[in-house]
C-alpha cells in the first residue's frame, strides 16, 4: 500500500500555463489581455506595448530584479487570478543586461566559448521558477513572445527549409526557447493564413486572404503543443480556448477526480474455457561437470583512501597559471579533459596541451574555483555523470 495519496482522472481545476507566439502585430497582447480580464489578472509589460489594450498592468520593469519583484507581488495579491508576461524575448534582454552588469561583461560573448549564453540560460530559469509559484498559488499564467523564421536542417535529410521558432536564445547547450516550451501546458503559434489564388490564365498567381489563425500541434514549420485535445488549427480568438478556464472547464461527474482506496481490486472471475493440460514429457538430466569456483576478487582499497596528487611532470608544457592551479588543488589532466568533453568544447581524445591557448590561459582559470574544482571533486564521489 502506497504511503502517498494516489489520484486519478483529469485535474480540470489546475491552473494553465500558456505560451502564445507569432509575428509582430498579430494580436498576442490583446489575446493575453482577454484571459487576464477574465481572471482579474495583471500584465507585466516588458516592452511597453500594451498602451492601446484595456488591461490592468504594472509599470514597465526597468531591470531583471524589478521584473521578478512584480511577479512576486502578483503572486501575493489574493485578488489577482492570473499573471501575464509580454514578451519573453524582452524579458530575455533584461536578464542578459543584468548578467553583464554584475559580471562586468560588455556582452554575453565576452567570457568566450559560449559561457555567457550558458549563464544567461541558467539565470533565465529564475523567471519560470517565479511563475511556478504563481501556478502553486492557483493563478493562471500567460506568456507571449515574438516569432522568428530560421533555416532548419533535419539530421537525416538533405537540404534545409524555413520554420517559425520562438525569438529566444536557442544555442544547443543553452536553449531558452526549449526551456519555455517545455514549461508551458499550451503553446500556440499564431499567424496569418495566406491563400495563393491562380488567375484564369492558369499562370498568374497572387496571395489573398490574411485570416488570423492559431496552431496547437507540432508541425515541421512551427512549434506548438496542447494537453487539452484541441483541433490542430483554430481561429486566433480567445473564445476558442476560453472553455478550459473557470466554471466552463467543469466536466461531467464521471470524469471528476477521485482518490483510490487502499483495498486491492478483486480479480475478475475466469470466463474463458480452461486449457487442456499438455502431455508430460520426462527428460533425464545430463550430468555436467561441476564448474570451477570463481577466483576471489582482489581486495580493493576503500574509495575514500584514494589520494590524488599532481606532480610538476604531469603538468609539463601547460601554461604556468593553469599548472599552478592543478598542482594546488590536485586536479588531474584527465579530469579537465573529461570536464571539457562534457561541456562540449573538445573531444576526450584531444590532449590537454593541444587545446586553444586562450582556453587554457583565460577560460579555465576564470571558472576554476566556481566550477572545475567542485565539479571534478563531485565526479570523484559519483555525484556527476562524468
Amino acid at each position: 500500500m502506497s504511503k502517498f495519496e494516489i489520484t486519478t482522472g483529469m485535474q480540470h481545476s489546475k491552473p494553465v500555463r500558456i505560451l502564445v507566439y507569432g509575428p509582430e502585430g498579430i494580436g498576442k497582447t490583446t489575446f493575453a489581455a482577454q484571459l487576464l480580464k477574465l481572471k482579474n489578472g495583471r500584465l507585466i509589460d516588458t516592452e511597453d506595448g500594451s498602451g492601446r489594450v484595456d488591461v490592468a498592468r504594472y509599470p514597465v520593469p526597468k531591470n531583471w530584479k524589478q521584473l521578478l519583484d512584480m511577479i512576486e507581488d502578483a503572486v501575493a495579491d489574493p485578488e489577482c487570478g492570473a499573471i501575464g508576461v509580454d514578451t519573453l524575448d524582452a524579458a530575455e534582454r533584461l536578464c542578459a543586461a543584468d548578467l553583464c552588469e554584475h559580471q562586468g561583461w560588455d556582452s554575453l560573448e565576452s567570457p568566450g566559448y559560449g559561457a555567457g549564453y550558458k549563464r544567461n540560460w541558467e539565470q533565465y530559469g529564475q523567471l519560470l521558477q517565479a511563475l511556478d509559484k504563481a501556478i502553486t498559488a492557483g493563478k493562471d499564467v500567460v506568456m507571449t513572445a515574438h516569432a522568428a523564421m530560421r533555416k532548419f536542417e533535419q539530421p537525416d535529410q538533405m537540404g534545409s527549409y524555413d520554420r517559425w521558432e520562438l525569438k529566444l536564445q536557442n544555442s544547443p547547450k543553452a536553449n531558452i526557447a526549449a526551456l519555455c516550451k517545455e514549461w508551458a501546458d499550451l503553446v500556440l503559434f499564431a499567424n496569418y493564413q495566406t491563400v495563393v489564388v491562380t488567375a484564369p490564365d492558369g499562370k498568374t498567381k497572387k496571395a489573398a486572404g490574411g485570416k488570423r489563425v492559431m496552431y496547437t500541434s507540432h508541425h515541421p514549420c512551427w512549434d506548438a503543443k496542447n494537453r487539452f485535445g484541441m483541433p490542430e488549427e483554430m481561429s486566433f480568438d480567445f473564445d476558442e480556448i476560453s472553455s478550459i478556464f473557470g466554471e466552463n472547464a467543469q466536466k461531467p461527474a464521471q470524469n471528476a477526480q477521485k482518490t483510490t482506496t487502499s483495498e486491492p481490486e478483486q480479480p475478475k472471475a475466469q470466463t474463458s474455457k480452461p486449457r487442456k493440460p499438455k502431455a508430460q514429457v520426462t527428460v533425464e538430466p545430463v550430468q555436467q561437470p561441476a564448474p570451477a569456483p570463481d577466483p576471489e576478487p582482489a581486495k580493493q582499497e576503500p574509495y575514500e583512501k584514494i589520494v590524488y596528487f599532481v606532480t610538476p611532470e604531469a603538468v609539463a608544457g601547460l601554461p604556468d597559471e593553469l599548472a599552478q592551479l592543478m598542482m594546488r588543488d590536485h586536479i588531474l589532466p584527465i579530469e579537465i579533459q573529461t570536464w571539457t568533453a562534457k561541456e562540449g568544447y573538445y573531444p576526450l581524445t584531444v590532449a590537454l596541451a593541444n587545446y586553444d591557448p586562450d582556453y587554457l590561459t583565460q577560460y579555465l582559470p576564470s571558472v576554476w574555483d566556481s566550477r572545475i574544482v567542485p565539479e571534478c571533486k563531485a565526479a570523484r564521489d559519483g555525484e556527476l555523470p562524468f
Side-chain angles (χ1 to χ4, degrees):
M1 184 175 65
S2 174
K3 63 180 180 180
F4 300 100
E5 183 180 73
I6 309 299
T7 61
T8 62
M10 298 176 65
Q11 298 175 325
H12 299 293
S13 59
K14 187 176 181 180
V16 183
R17 298 171 288 194
I18 304 177
L19 170 56
V20 184
Y21 77 106
E24 61 277 5
I26 197 169
K28 301 182 292 294
T29 305
T30 303
F31 186 94
Q34 290 178 280
L35 168 62
L36 298 175
K37 291 177 69 176
L38 176 69
K39 305 302 288 284
N40 191 33
R42 309 285 184 269
L43 178 68
I44 302 176
D45 185 357
T46 57
E47 58 180 17
D48 196 16
S50 66
R52 305 288 181 181
V53 180
D54 180 19
V55 66
R57 66 181 71 80
Y58 284 99
V60 178
K62 297 179 181 179
N63 52 53
W64 179 247
K65 182 179 183 304
Q66 198 172 79
L67 169 60
L68 298 179
D69 288 344
M70 289 177 180
I71 297 176
E72 184 178 349
D73 181 81
V75 171
D77 186 352
E79 296 182 1
C80 174
I83 300 175
V85 179
D86 178 37
T87 60
L88 291 178
D89 33 306
E92 181 187 328
R93 293 193 290 270
L94 292 177
C95 180
D98 177 81
L99 185 60
C100 290
E101 179 183 355
H102 285 83
Q103 297 295 328
W105 299 338
D106 294 330
S107 71
L108 295 179
E109 296 282 353
S110 297
Y113 301 100
Y117 294 101
K118 189 166 186 178
R119 289 289 301 278
N120 191 50
W121 170 74
E122 293 170 351
Q123 180 163 301
Y124 197 85
Q126 296 174 2
L127 174 65
L128 300 182
Q129 290 172 4
L131 294 174
D132 270 331
K133 295 180 181 178
I135 295 296
T136 303
K139 305 175 191 295
D140 297 292
V141 173
V142 57
M143 309 174 295
T144 69
H146 289 99
M149 188 173 285
R150 295 189 176 99
K151 287 287 183 184
F152 185 80
E153 287 190 49
Q154 288 280 15
D156 56 345
Q157 298 290 334
M158 295 183 62
S160 61
Y161 57 91
D162 293 331
R163 76 188 307 268
W164 289 99
E165 296 182 357
L166 286 164
K167 193 177 179 181
L168 293 169
Q169 177 181 308
N170 68 345
S171 56
K173 295 188 294 182
N175 198 327
I176 291 179
L179 194 69
C180 295
K181 288 184 295 184
E182 292 166 3
W183 186 84
D185 299 314
L186 180 61
V187 178
L188 301 174
F189 170 59
N191 202 3
Y192 299 97
Q193 190 176 62
T194 303
V195 180
V196 178
V197 179
T198 305
D201 60 10
K203 298 180 181 180
T204 307
K205 297 183 179 181
K206 63 179 182 178
K211 176 185 175 183
R212 297 185 308 162
V213 296
M214 59 183 172
Y215 302 95
T216 66
S217 299
H218 178 79
H219 187 276
C221 294
W222 58 76
D223 289 315
K225 74 173 183 179
N226 82 89
R227 297 169 175 168
F228 303 93
M230 295 179 175
E232 294 186 358
E233 178 183 324
M234 298 185 291
S235 174
F236 187 44
D237 189 335
F238 178 76
D239 290 339
E240 297 282 357
I241 67 168
S242 61
S243 61
I244 66 176
F245 302 98
E247 288 75 18
N248 292 332
Q250 300 301 320
K251 301 296 180 182
Q254 60 267 26
N255 291 334
Q257 180 175 302
K258 57 185 178 182
T259 304
T260 61
T261 64
S262 59
E263 293 295 328
E265 187 175 329
Q266 296 297 328
K268 295 181 179 179
Q270 179 74 30
T271 56
S272 58
K273 295 181 179 179
R275 297 180 179 178
K276 294 182 178 180
K278 295 181 179 180
Q280 294 185 353
V281 179
T282 303
V283 179
E284 293 294 332
V286 179
Q287 296 295 328
Q288 299 288 347
D294 293 330
E296 291 186 7
K299 277 190 174 182
Q300 294 184 351
E301 290 294 325
Y303 188 73
E304 290 75 16
K305 292 185 178 180
I306 296 177
V307 177
Y308 293 84
F309 187 75
V310 177
T311 64
E313 292 77 13
V315 295
L318 296 177
D320 289 340
E321 182 182 3
L322 179 61
Q324 292 296 328
L325 291 172
M326 293 172 65
M327 289 190 292
R328 184 196 74 185
D329 297 310
H330 302 298
I331 301 299
L332 304 174
I334 187 59
E335 291 182 296
I336 297 181
Q337 290 174 255
T338 304
W339 183 89
T340 300
K342 174 186 72 75
E343 294 293 304
Y345 299 137
Y346 288 96
L348 185 59
T349 54
V350 178
L352 193 59
N354 295 331
Y355 286 5
D356 183 88
D358 289 340
Y359 184 86
L360 296 174
T361 60
Q362 298 180 22
Y363 180 67
L364 288 180
S366 71
V367 297
W368 186 264
D369 292 325
S370 62
R371 295 200 56 201
I372 293 179
V373 173
E375 292 184 22
C376 285
K377 290 184 176 179
R380 296 174 183 176
D381 298 331
E383 298 176 5
L384 292 178
F386 71 90

